Amino acid sequence: MSHPPQPTSKIGVYIPSIALFVAVLIWASSFVAMKVAVMAFSPLVVIFGRMAVASVIFGFVALRTGIPKVRRQDVVIILCMALCEPCLYFIFEAFALRYTTASQAGMITAMLPLMVAAVAFVSLGERPRGRTWAGFFIAVAGVVWLSAASVSSDLAPNPILGNTLEFLAMVCATGYTVLLKRLSSTNSPWFLTAVQAVAGALFYLPGLLLPIAQTHGEPGLNGVLAILYLGSIVTIGAYGLYNFGVSRLPASQASAFINLIPVFSVILGTMLLGETFTPWQIAASVVVLVGVGLSQGGLRRVGVE
């Protein structure tokens, strides 16, 4: 029986994990940046600006490196991946952050590893055990509690609606992660990131003509800087690192790093935006993380990689 090649050094073992760790740290900061941006501009303007900035950067890179060839059988999968994220994902997330806080939205992302595990059971041969499903339902209960315990404020005028939209964003992210895993064996992670940026810019361009795209806040330097940060550091840096990590690790293992986003988002939201959690929200968040932690001990890989 042949065995998979072993890494040549300990550094090689940890590089994918380090890449995923840095990616989720940047992603956690994106909730803060997105909150700042959508308070100044329409969500459609913010998303298009983010994708356009990334597309321009990738365009300059493509002038030097060229555009890689894509297998014909991968085209439909790539289009479906881009539809899941960034196209539909950012619609839900950007509007979610108009109605809820960055901290609460970050907590909802704790659901992603469980949702990926459920889909990977069907499509990638990763078999969740009973405790994974138990953890899933506990985490869902925690998310419902978190939303029910939320109160309206200037930063969260309708937290129940906002948290629901963020959950729908996680549904899209689940499809994206599984499709990305299928594509990563034959396509460069950086190429897939570039496809996302260009597809997102083209998808959101017509939306700029809609009345909803009109500015709702007071545009200023902070809003512009937030869009530039989202388009460069987050879109290129975080997605590139995450795509690299997913290409080297099983989907369920890679998505487990998403569990760090709630922790980072709460810390950054408190430090930079002055957001606060009520005692009930803290308790609900603990329930979410307990459910996620319970589920991670119940994953069993069958014939993966």
Side-chain angles (χ1 to χ4, degrees), residues 50 91 124 151 160 215 226 274:
R50 174 179 184 169
I91 288 178
L124 297 180
V151 294
I160 293 179
T215 299

Side-chain angles (χ1 to χ4, degrees), residues 155-287:
L155 292 176
N158 193 338
I160 293 179
L161 174 60
N163 291 345
T164 300
L165 292 172
E166 184 63 29
F167 179 80
L168 292 176
M170 291 304 103
V171 173
C172 297
T174 300
Y176 158 75
T177 299
V178 174
L179 292 173
L180 172 65
K181 184 61 184 175
R182 292 186 60 181
L183 291 167
S184 61
S185 62
T186 55
N187 297 274
S188 162
W190 300 103
F191 168 71
L192 294 175
T193 307
V195 168
Q196 288 179 270
V198 174
L202 294 175
F203 180 84
Y204 287 107
L205 180 60
L208 298 181
L209 302 176
L210 299 175
I212 198 174
Q214 300 301 314
T215 299
H216 295 283
E218 296 182 1
L221 180 60
N222 288 341
V224 173
L225 291 177
I227 292 176
L228 292 175
Y229 176 78
L230 289 167
S232 56
I233 304 300
V234 176
T235 300
I236 295 179
Y239 273 97
L241 291 170
Y242 184 75
N243 290 355
F244 170 78
V246 169
S247 70
R248 299 296 192 274
L249 297 174
S252 57
Q253 183 178 342
S255 65
F257 280 81
I258 303 297
N259 297 336
L260 296 172
I261 291 182
V263 179
F264 292 149
S265 64
V266 169
I267 293 173
L268 295 174
T270 301
M271 292 175 56
L272 302 178
L273 298 178
E275 297 176 349
T276 57
F277 258 23
T278 67
W280 288 115
Q281 288 175 305
I282 294 174
S285 300
V286 171
V287 171

Side-chain angles (χ1 to χ4, degrees), residues 31-113:
F31 286 99
V32 175
M34 183 73 83
K35 185 69 176 180
V36 172
V38 298
M39 291 174 66
F41 299 98
S42 162
L44 291 178
V45 173
V46 172
I47 302 170
F48 170 76
R50 174 179 184 169
M51 296 295 104
V53 169
S55 297
V56 170
I57 296 174
F58 277 121
F60 282 112
V61 174
L63 291 176
R64 297 179 59 87
T65 62
I67 301 176
K69 295 182 179 180
V70 181
R71 300 190 311 170
R72 180 175 301 179
Q73 59 266 39
D74 287 344
V75 172
V76 174
I77 302 177
I78 289 175
L79 293 176
C80 290
M81 179 198 72
L83 179 64
C84 288
E85 191 170 342
C87 297
L88 296 179
Y89 174 88
F90 284 121
I91 288 178
F92 291 125
E93 183 168 271
F95 281 95
L97 287 169
R98 273 203 166 272
Y99 300 109
T100 190
T101 63
S103 299
Q104 291 186 60
M107 284 302 307
I108 304 299
T109 63
M111 295 296 301
L112 180 58

Side-chain angles (χ1 to χ4, degrees), residues 4-27:
Q6 299 299 315
T8 57
S9 68
K10 291 185 177 180
I11 295 179
V13 173
Y14 294 118
I15 285 178
S17 296
I18 293 173
L20 290 168
F21 180 86
V22 176
V24 298
L25 177 59
I26 297 174
W27 263 333

